[in-house]
Amino acid sequence: MVEEVQKHSVHTLVFRSLKRTHDMFVADNAKPIPLDDVSHKLKMSVKLRTDYGSVLHMPILKENFREKGSPNTGDPYGHKQYSANQGQELEYLITGTHPYPPGPGVALTADTKIQRMPSESAAQSLAVALPPSQSRLDANRTAAGVGDIYRHAGIPERSQPPGLSMAMTEAGGHKNSALIAKKAPTMPKPQWHPPWKLYRVISGHLGWVRCIAVEPGNQWFVTGSADRTIKIWDLASGKLKLSLTGHISTVRGVIVSGRSPYLFSCGEDKQVKCWDLEYNKVIRHYHGHLSAVYGLDLHPTIDVLVTCSRDSTARIWDVRTKASVHTLAGHTNAVATVKCQAAEPQIITGSHDTTIRLWDLVAGKTRVTLTNHKKSVRAVVLHPRHYTFASGSPDNIKQWKFPDGNFIQNLSGHNAIINTLAVNSDGVLVSGADNGTMHLWDWRTGYNFQRVHAAVQPGSLDSESGIFACAFDQSESRLLTAEADKTIKVYREDDMATEETHPVSWKPEIIKRKRF
């Protein structure tokens, strides 16, 4: 009785065939391809003639001849070596490739046999007496080449240790570095920063907390919210000190003056207000914006207030007279953020039209427009010590150099809508995003050393996990964030952390400096 053959699908049979083939050749998988001696000799012969043809006629040390036997034996690559000198003591004919003796084609006589072999030191000392330009050229030819050529003449290149390169020669003024190993590019190692941990959550607002600012004395901080109120909190205890009402829509920006007892606020009701903190009352309004005012900043040295708005403009105000000094027009979409500094250019704006503009405060005109971002720029931060700044966008965080906005590097990895940036003097850059994530970066290298995603408060929706603003206090030891779950979160550095317990998991590919 014939046994019935079990039937398999084509799929199964193909994979069985693949497995048999794999098993058959798996032993040879890692074996190197055998080297063809004839091809290798031909290749090295061409390479030697091309790269070292101008110095192949130069003599070889006698030690090499004693080791190898007859001086006219061929090298491994088919070159005959100095057959003209066979049967006699080797005479050295110098043909002008180095400065000693003077003149090409002069054979050394019996009187000068003591200097038959020009040494590197002799050639160097002789080159000193030549004119500067000629000595530099000849020193390169001799000092860098003669000794190595004597040592390596007639020796196959493969006999050198891997990683060592043949001597660099200079023939006819042309520098040839075909055989010199290139040094791999190195990335700077990031500075170690201790991790930040959450230690306080402050509740009290009834809506999204949209903005935050710490007063110059570091005693209290102020927040503005979608509940239309401005609240002042004690920084040490986190207790509410005061609530200010007056805006009729979401408060989008707050800042405390260091030059006077004033608090400035702006909101989606198109209003910009100046509060006197001695009376807790509004003493000035700044009228002029045609739509919601998204941000504001104070000039550090003069009494000037700058605001930015959804009406695509930024406005400069005289704090005391309420007069509009300039209207900075040029953006084609809402201006989301504005920053001031004492040096030129003094005003920096980021907009939803994907551009950043650096403005001349005196002329009221654009000095530079940066168009590298592909998506809206919602956050800009200035480094407190370096003459640089960073901008945040959903495509990348980018660093720039003042005064002309030269691009430095990209900080990639925070793949979210970045609402806010903050940086301290230690080089810790913080980026807060719409999805509730916060990334901490090393400013110099762009290395992301910590990622934080704090849980939303009980009772709030999961969708309400966004960071709208963040700021360091004046001592830079605490970090405050304003969030969509109606809370203010306070972070501080972990005092117990050391570089041993929290090492930098540094990988060069992470901090690759990408060009825009």
mmCIF file of all heavy atoms in Angstrom, residues 324-367:
data_model
loop_
_atom_site.group_PDB
_atom_site.id
_atom_site.type_symbol
_atom_site.label_atom_id
_atom_site.label_comp_id
_atom_site.label_asym_id
_atom_site.label_seq_id
_atom_site.Cartn_x
_atom_site.Cartn_y
_atom_site.Cartn_z
ATOM 1 N N SER A 324 0.982 105.387 22.352
ATOM 2 C CA SER A 324 1.520 104.326 21.504
ATOM 3 C C SER A 324 2.712 104.882 20.738
ATOM 4 O O SER A 324 2.559 105.774 19.903
ATOM 5 C CB SER A 324 0.439 103.833 20.537
ATOM 6 O OG SER A 324 0.963 102.834 19.693
ATOM 7 N N VAL A 325 3.907 104.381 21.057
ATOM 8 C CA VAL A 325 5.137 104.889 20.437
ATOM 9 C C VAL A 325 5.265 104.361 19.019
ATOM 10 O O VAL A 325 5.543 105.114 18.081
ATOM 11 C CB VAL A 325 6.363 104.479 21.281
ATOM 12 C CG1 VAL A 325 7.649 105.003 20.656
ATOM 13 C CG2 VAL A 325 6.212 104.965 22.710
ATOM 14 N N HIS A 326 5.095 103.051 18.830
ATOM 15 C CA HIS A 326 5.216 102.422 17.508
ATOM 16 C C HIS A 326 4.178 101.317 17.397
ATOM 17 O O HIS A 326 3.799 100.686 18.389
ATOM 18 C CB HIS A 326 6.591 101.770 17.306
ATOM 19 C CG HIS A 326 7.710 102.733 17.097
ATOM 20 N ND1 HIS A 326 7.736 103.647 16.068
ATOM 21 C CD2 HIS A 326 8.869 102.920 17.780
ATOM 22 C CE1 HIS A 326 8.855 104.357 16.134
ATOM 23 N NE2 HIS A 326 9.549 103.935 17.174
ATOM 24 N N THR A 327 3.745 101.084 16.181
ATOM 25 C CA THR A 327 3.003 99.868 15.861
ATOM 26 C C THR A 327 3.887 99.039 14.946
ATOM 27 O O THR A 327 4.214 99.472 13.831
ATOM 28 C CB THR A 327 1.672 100.187 15.172
ATOM 29 O OG1 THR A 327 0.867 100.977 16.054
ATOM 30 C CG2 THR A 327 0.923 98.903 14.840
ATOM 31 N N LEU A 328 4.315 97.872 15.417
ATOM 32 C CA LEU A 328 5.240 97.021 14.654
ATOM 33 C C LEU A 328 4.417 96.118 13.739
ATOM 34 O O LEU A 328 3.864 95.098 14.163
ATOM 35 C CB LEU A 328 6.104 96.190 15.600
ATOM 36 C CG LEU A 328 6.870 96.984 16.675
ATOM 37 C CD1 LEU A 328 7.671 96.047 17.566
ATOM 38 C CD2 LEU A 328 7.787 98.016 16.035
ATOM 39 N N ALA A 329 4.298 96.526 12.477
ATOM 40 C CA ALA A 329 3.514 95.782 11.499
ATOM 41 C C ALA A 329 4.441 95.059 10.536
ATOM 42 O O ALA A 329 5.486 95.591 10.153
ATOM 43 C CB ALA A 329 2.590 96.734 10.733
ATOM 44 N N GLY A 330 4.051 93.872 10.135
ATOM 45 C CA GLY A 330 4.877 93.079 9.226
ATOM 46 C C GLY A 330 4.492 91.619 9.239
ATOM 47 O O GLY A 330 4.548 90.946 8.217
ATOM 48 N N HIS A 331 4.089 91.114 10.402
ATOM 49 C CA HIS A 331 3.609 89.733 10.477
ATOM 50 C C HIS A 331 2.279 89.610 9.728
ATOM 51 O O HIS A 331 1.504 90.564 9.650
ATOM 52 C CB HIS A 331 3.434 89.296 11.931
ATOM 53 C CG HIS A 331 4.725 89.022 12.647
ATOM 54 N ND1 HIS A 331 5.545 87.974 12.321
ATOM 55 C CD2 HIS A 331 5.331 89.654 13.688
ATOM 56 C CE1 HIS A 331 6.607 87.965 13.120
ATOM 57 N NE2 HIS A 331 6.502 88.980 13.958
ATOM 58 N N THR A 332 2.037 88.421 9.197
ATOM 59 C CA THR A 332 0.815 88.193 8.431
ATOM 60 C C THR A 332 -0.188 87.314 9.167
ATOM 61 O O THR A 332 -1.200 86.927 8.591
ATOM 62 C CB THR A 332 1.170 87.532 7.075
ATOM 63 O OG1 THR A 332 1.861 86.307 7.323
ATOM 64 C CG2 THR A 332 2.047 88.448 6.240
ATOM 65 N N ASN A 333 0.089 87.021 10.421
ATOM 66 C CA ASN A 333 -0.840 86.246 11.234
ATOM 67 C C ASN A 333 -0.642 86.672 12.686
ATOM 68 O O ASN A 333 0.198 87.522 12.977
ATOM 69 C CB ASN A 333 -0.590 84.740 11.052
ATOM 70 C CG ASN A 333 -1.843 83.913 11.316
ATOM 71 O OD1 ASN A 333 -2.690 84.281 12.134
ATOM 72 N ND2 ASN A 333 -1.980 82.793 10.612
ATOM 73 N N ALA A 334 -1.406 86.071 13.576
ATOM 74 C CA ALA A 334 -1.364 86.465 14.990
ATOM 75 C C ALA A 334 0.060 86.413 15.540
ATOM 76 O O ALA A 334 0.809 85.476 15.259
ATOM 77 C CB ALA A 334 -2.267 85.545 15.797
ATOM 78 N N VAL A 335 0.421 87.419 16.326
ATOM 79 C CA VAL A 335 1.728 87.450 16.996
ATOM 80 C C VAL A 335 1.529 86.833 18.377
ATOM 81 O O VAL A 335 0.777 87.361 19.200
ATOM 82 C CB VAL A 335 2.278 88.882 17.083
ATOM 83 C CG1 VAL A 335 3.687 88.867 17.673
ATOM 84 C CG2 VAL A 335 2.279 89.546 15.716
ATOM 85 N N ALA A 336 2.182 85.705 18.638
ATOM 86 C CA ALA A 336 1.906 84.911 19.837
ATOM 87 C C ALA A 336 2.791 85.279 21.017
ATOM 88 O O ALA A 336 2.413 85.082 22.170
ATOM 89 C CB ALA A 336 2.060 83.426 19.526
ATOM 90 N N THR A 337 3.996 85.788 20.751
ATOM 91 C CA THR A 337 4.930 86.045 21.860
ATOM 92 C C THR A 337 5.823 87.218 21.521
ATOM 93 O O THR A 337 6.123 87.465 20.344
ATOM 94 C CB THR A 337 5.782 84.781 22.137
ATOM 95 O OG1 THR A 337 6.681 85.033 23.210
ATOM 96 C CG2 THR A 337 6.592 84.375 20.915
ATOM 97 N N VAL A 338 6.238 87.942 22.554
ATOM 98 C CA VAL A 338 7.136 89.084 22.372
ATOM 99 C C VAL A 338 8.099 89.138 23.547
ATOM 100 O O VAL A 338 7.723 88.843 24.688
ATOM 101 C CB VAL A 338 6.342 90.405 22.232
ATOM 102 C CG1 VAL A 338 5.567 90.723 23.510
ATOM 103 C CG2 VAL A 338 7.248 91.564 21.866
ATOM 104 N N LYS A 339 9.366 89.479 23.254
ATOM 105 C CA LYS A 339 10.389 89.611 24.293
ATOM 106 C C LYS A 339 11.192 90.876 24.047
ATOM 107 O O LYS A 339 11.411 91.275 22.902
ATOM 108 C CB LYS A 339 11.343 88.402 24.290
ATOM 109 C CG LYS A 339 10.698 87.101 24.714
ATOM 110 C CD LYS A 339 10.286 87.112 26.171
ATOM 111 C CE LYS A 339 9.551 85.834 26.550
ATOM 112 N NZ LYS A 339 8.997 85.910 27.913
ATOM 113 N N CYS A 340 11.675 91.491 25.151
ATOM 114 C CA CYS A 340 12.503 92.699 25.080
ATOM 115 C C CYS A 340 13.872 92.411 25.681
ATOM 116 O O CYS A 340 14.005 91.593 26.590
ATOM 117 C CB CYS A 340 11.874 93.839 25.874
ATOM 118 S SG CYS A 340 10.435 94.546 25.108
ATOM 119 N N GLN A 341 14.870 93.138 25.192
ATOM 120 C CA GLN A 341 16.191 93.109 25.808
ATOM 121 C C GLN A 341 16.818 94.484 25.662
ATOM 122 O O GLN A 341 16.368 95.315 24.867
ATOM 123 C CB GLN A 341 17.070 92.039 25.166
ATOM 124 C CG GLN A 341 17.401 92.288 23.706
ATOM 125 C CD GLN A 341 18.434 91.301 23.186
ATOM 126 O OE1 GLN A 341 18.801 90.369 23.864
ATOM 127 N NE2 GLN A 341 18.912 91.532 21.980
ATOM 128 N N ALA A 342 17.886 94.738 26.432
ATOM 129 C CA ALA A 342 18.508 96.056 26.438
ATOM 130 C C ALA A 342 19.371 96.267 25.198
ATOM 131 O O ALA A 342 19.512 97.391 24.717
ATOM 132 C CB ALA A 342 19.345 96.225 27.702
ATOM 133 N N ALA A 343 19.979 95.191 24.658
ATOM 134 C CA ALA A 343 20.896 95.327 23.526
ATOM 135 C C ALA A 343 20.124 95.293 22.212
ATOM 136 O O ALA A 343 18.970 94.874 22.154
ATOM 137 C CB ALA A 343 21.936 94.207 23.565
ATOM 138 N N GLU A 344 20.788 95.745 21.159
ATOM 139 C CA GLU A 344 20.179 95.679 19.829
ATOM 140 C C GLU A 344 20.305 94.259 19.275
ATOM 141 O O GLU A 344 21.345 93.623 19.473
ATOM 142 C CB GLU A 344 20.887 96.654 18.880
ATOM 143 C CG GLU A 344 20.637 98.121 19.220
ATOM 144 C CD GLU A 344 19.240 98.577 18.800
ATOM 145 O OE1 GLU A 344 18.602 97.862 18.000
ATOM 146 O OE2 GLU A 344 18.800 99.619 19.277
ATOM 147 N N PRO A 345 19.293 93.764 18.528
ATOM 148 C CA PRO A 345 17.956 94.309 18.370
ATOM 149 C C PRO A 345 17.154 94.110 19.650
ATOM 150 O O PRO A 345 17.315 93.097 20.329
ATOM 151 C CB PRO A 345 17.381 93.502 17.214
ATOM 152 C CG PRO A 345 18.108 92.201 17.284
ATOM 153 C CD PRO A 345 19.470 92.497 17.809
ATOM 154 N N GLN A 346 16.303 95.063 19.967
ATOM 155 C CA GLN A 346 15.714 95.094 21.309
ATOM 156 C C GLN A 346 14.394 94.356 21.448
ATOM 157 O O GLN A 346 13.991 94.049 22.551
ATOM 158 C CB GLN A 346 15.552 96.553 21.728
ATOM 159 C CG GLN A 346 16.909 97.229 21.959
ATOM 160 C CD GLN A 346 16.767 98.693 22.293
ATOM 161 O OE1 GLN A 346 16.308 99.485 21.484
ATOM 162 N NE2 GLN A 346 17.168 99.071 23.491
ATOM 163 N N ILE A 347 13.709 94.078 20.360
ATOM 164 C CA ILE A 347 12.407 93.420 20.440
ATOM 165 C C ILE A 347 12.407 92.200 19.525
ATOM 166 O O ILE A 347 12.852 92.267 18.377
ATOM 167 C CB ILE A 347 11.271 94.387 20.060
ATOM 168 C CG1 ILE A 347 11.224 95.541 21.070
ATOM 169 C CG2 ILE A 347 9.925 93.662 20.017
ATOM 170 C CD1 ILE A 347 10.306 96.653 20.686
ATOM 171 N N ILE A 348 11.910 91.066 20.042
ATOM 172 C CA ILE A 348 11.837 89.818 19.295
ATOM 173 C C ILE A 348 10.397 89.333 19.361
ATOM 174 O O ILE A 348 9.802 89.248 20.441
ATOM 175 C CB ILE A 348 12.779 88.742 19.884
ATOM 176 C CG1 ILE A 348 14.231 89.231 19.860
ATOM 177 C CG2 ILE A 348 12.673 87.440 19.114
ATOM 178 C CD1 ILE A 348 14.666 89.899 21.129
ATOM 179 N N THR A 349 9.802 89.022 18.207
ATOM 180 C CA THR A 349 8.427 88.536 18.159
ATOM 181 C C THR A 349 8.376 87.202 17.432
ATOM 182 O O THR A 349 9.118 86.960 16.485
ATOM 183 C CB THR A 349 7.494 89.527 17.435
ATOM 184 O OG1 THR A 349 8.007 89.782 16.122
ATOM 185 C CG2 THR A 349 7.383 90.827 18.200
ATOM 186 N N GLY A 350 7.472 86.332 17.890
ATOM 187 C CA GLY A 350 7.203 85.056 17.219
ATOM 188 C C GLY A 350 5.742 85.004 16.841
ATOM 189 O O GLY A 350 4.872 85.440 17.607
ATOM 190 N N SER A 351 5.452 84.471 15.657
ATOM 191 C CA SER A 351 4.097 84.591 15.126
ATOM 192 C C SER A 351 3.588 83.265 14.585
ATOM 193 O O SER A 351 4.351 82.343 14.284
ATOM 194 C CB SER A 351 4.086 85.651 14.016
ATOM 195 O OG SER A 351 2.882 85.620 13.292
ATOM 196 N N HIS A 352 2.255 83.216 14.406
ATOM 197 C CA HIS A 352 1.622 82.063 13.777
ATOM 198 C C HIS A 352 1.888 82.013 12.276
ATOM 199 O O HIS A 352 1.531 81.020 11.632
ATOM 200 C CB HIS A 352 0.109 82.089 14.032
ATOM 201 C CG HIS A 352 -0.268 81.768 15.447
ATOM 202 N ND1 HIS A 352 -0.253 80.492 15.956
ATOM 203 C CD2 HIS A 352 -0.656 82.563 16.473
ATOM 204 C CE1 HIS A 352 -0.629 80.508 17.228
ATOM 205 N NE2 HIS A 352 -0.871 81.753 17.570
ATOM 206 N N ASP A 353 2.498 83.057 11.715
ATOM 207 C CA ASP A 353 2.873 82.998 10.299
ATOM 208 C C ASP A 353 4.206 82.269 10.095
ATOM 209 O O ASP A 353 4.788 82.327 9.018
ATOM 210 C CB ASP A 353 2.922 84.401 9.683
ATOM 211 C CG ASP A 353 4.018 85.281 10.275
ATOM 212 O OD1 ASP A 353 4.833 84.770 11.073
ATOM 213 O OD2 ASP A 353 4.062 86.482 9.959
ATOM 214 N N THR A 354 4.697 81.607 11.131
ATOM 215 C CA THR A 354 5.914 80.751 11.179
ATOM 216 C C THR A 354 7.214 81.553 11.193
ATOM 217 O O THR A 354 8.285 80.965 11.143
ATOM 218 C CB THR A 354 5.986 79.731 10.008
ATOM 219 O OG1 THR A 354 6.354 80.410 8.815
ATOM 220 C CG2 THR A 354 4.668 79.005 9.830
ATOM 221 N N THR A 355 7.164 82.868 11.277
ATOM 222 C CA THR A 355 8.402 83.657 11.257
ATOM 223 C C THR A 355 8.698 84.257 12.623
ATOM 224 O O THR A 355 7.819 84.402 13.474
ATOM 225 C CB THR A 355 8.322 84.796 10.219
ATOM 226 O OG1 THR A 355 7.327 85.747 10.634
ATOM 227 C CG2 THR A 355 7.988 84.272 8.841
ATOM 228 N N ILE A 356 9.970 84.604 12.785
ATOM 229 C CA ILE A 356 10.434 85.362 13.954
ATOM 230 C C ILE A 356 11.005 86.664 13.412
ATOM 231 O O ILE A 356 11.743 86.656 12.423
ATOM 232 C CB ILE A 356 11.517 84.582 14.725
ATOM 233 C CG1 ILE A 356 10.985 83.237 15.192
ATOM 234 C CG2 ILE A 356 12.038 85.384 15.914
ATOM 235 C CD1 ILE A 356 12.076 82.243 15.530
ATOM 236 N N ARG A 357 10.677 87.782 14.054
ATOM 237 C CA ARG A 357 11.207 89.078 13.603
ATOM 238 C C ARG A 357 11.981 89.741 14.738
ATOM 239 O O ARG A 357 11.539 89.727 15.893
ATOM 240 C CB ARG A 357 10.078 90.000 13.131
ATOM 241 C CG ARG A 357 9.515 89.601 11.768
ATOM 242 C CD ARG A 357 8.385 90.525 11.332
ATOM 243 N NE ARG A 357 7.854 90.115 10.035
ATOM 244 C CZ ARG A 357 8.051 90.776 8.893
ATOM 245 N NH1 ARG A 357 8.775 91.876 8.888
ATOM 246 N NH2 ARG A 357 7.526 90.340 7.759
ATOM 247 N N LEU A 358 13.136 90.297 14.378
ATOM 248 C CA LEU A 358 13.937 91.085 15.307
ATOM 249 C C LEU A 358 13.754 92.548 14.911
ATOM 250 O O LEU A 358 14.008 92.911 13.757
ATOM 251 C CB LEU A 358 15.414 90.672 15.227
ATOM 252 C CG LEU A 358 15.728 89.163 15.260
ATOM 253 C CD1 LEU A 358 17.230 88.938 15.226
ATOM 254 C CD2 LEU A 358 15.144 88.520 16.494
ATOM 255 N N TRP A 359 13.324 93.379 15.863
ATOM 256 C CA TRP A 359 12.908 94.738 15.566
ATOM 257 C C TRP A 359 13.879 95.763 16.158
ATOM 258 O O TRP A 359 14.427 95.565 17.238
ATOM 259 C CB TRP A 359 11.513 95.021 16.129
ATOM 260 C CG TRP A 359 10.441 94.098 15.651
ATOM 261 C CD1 TRP A 359 10.136 92.857 16.142
ATOM 262 C CD2 TRP A 359 9.512 94.332 14.588
ATOM 263 N NE1 TRP A 359 9.079 92.320 15.453
ATOM 264 C CE2 TRP A 359 8.678 93.203 14.498
ATOM 265 C CE3 TRP A 359 9.302 95.410 13.717
ATOM 266 C CZ2 TRP A 359 7.650 93.103 13.564
ATOM 267 C CZ3 TRP A 359 8.277 95.307 12.783
ATOM 268 C CH2 TRP A 359 7.461 94.169 12.706
ATOM 269 N N ASP A 360 14.010 96.854 15.429
ATOM 270 C CA ASP A 360 14.735 98.026 15.920
ATOM 271 C C ASP A 360 13.733 98.888 16.684
ATOM 272 O O ASP A 360 12.764 99.390 16.101
ATOM 273 C CB ASP A 360 15.336 98.793 14.733
ATOM 274 C CG ASP A 360 16.209 99.960 15.178
ATOM 275 O OD1 ASP A 360 15.993 100.469 16.297
ATOM 276 O OD2 ASP A 360 17.093 100.359 14.408
ATOM 277 N N LEU A 361 13.955 99.054 17.983
ATOM 278 C CA LEU A 361 13.005 99.789 18.816
ATOM 279 C C LEU A 361 12.913 101.264 18.421
ATOM 280 O O LEU A 361 11.832 101.860 18.421
ATOM 281 C CB LEU A 361 13.414 99.664 20.293
ATOM 282 C CG LEU A 361 12.602 100.449 21.315
ATOM 283 C CD1 LEU A 361 11.154 100.019 21.301
ATOM 284 C CD2 LEU A 361 13.167 100.277 22.711
ATOM 285 N N VAL A 362 14.035 101.879 18.058
ATOM 286 C CA VAL A 362 14.040 103.303 17.748
ATOM 287 C C VAL A 362 13.308 103.574 16.434
ATOM 288 O O VAL A 362 12.439 104.445 16.353
ATOM 289 C CB VAL A 362 15.493 103.837 17.676
ATOM 290 C CG1 VAL A 362 15.508 105.302 17.283
ATOM 291 C CG2 VAL A 362 16.193 103.621 19.016
ATOM 292 N N ALA A 363 13.640 102.805 15.402
ATOM 293 C CA ALA A 363 13.024 103.033 14.096
ATOM 294 C C ALA A 363 11.643 102.396 13.982
ATOM 295 O O ALA A 363 10.835 102.807 13.141
ATOM 296 C CB ALA A 363 13.940 102.489 12.994
ATOM 297 N N GLY A 364 11.371 101.399 14.814
ATOM 298 C CA GLY A 364 10.083 100.710 14.720
ATOM 299 C C GLY A 364 9.974 99.849 13.486
ATOM 300 O O GLY A 364 8.871 99.641 12.964
ATOM 301 N N LYS A 365 11.113 99.338 12.988
ATOM 302 C CA LYS A 365 11.123 98.549 11.756
ATOM 303 C C LYS A 365 11.798 97.205 11.985
ATOM 304 O O LYS A 365 12.603 97.045 12.910
ATOM 305 C CB LYS A 365 11.856 99.306 10.648
ATOM 306 C CG LYS A 365 11.133 100.570 10.206
ATOM 307 C CD LYS A 365 11.900 101.264 9.084
ATOM 308 C CE LYS A 365 11.158 102.527 8.641
ATOM 309 N NZ LYS A 365 11.899 103.260 7.591
ATOM 310 N N THR A 366 11.494 96.273 11.086
ATOM 311 C CA THR A 366 12.112 94.941 11.165
ATOM 312 C C THR A 366 13.579 95.032 10.804
ATOM 313 O O THR A 366 13.959 95.641 9.812
ATOM 314 C CB THR A 366 11.420 93.971 10.199
ATOM 315 O OG1 THR A 366 10.034 93.928 10.503
ATOM 316 C CG2 THR A 366 12.003 92.578 10.324
ATOM 317 N N ARG A 367 14.409 94.411 11.637
ATOM 318 C CA ARG A 367 15.834 94.333 11.329
ATOM 319 C C ARG A 367 16.165 93.024 10.630
ATOM 320 O O ARG A 367 16.899 92.990 9.655
ATOM 321 C CB ARG A 367 16.627 94.473 12.634
ATOM 322 C CG ARG A 367 18.123 94.356 12.454
ATOM 323 C CD ARG A 367 18.841 94.798 13.704
ATOM 324 N NE ARG A 367 20.245 94.417 13.666
ATOM 325 C CZ ARG A 367 21.148 94.835 14.546
ATOM 326 N NH1 ARG A 367 20.788 95.662 15.508
ATOM 327 N NH2 ARG A 367 22.392 94.436 14.475
#
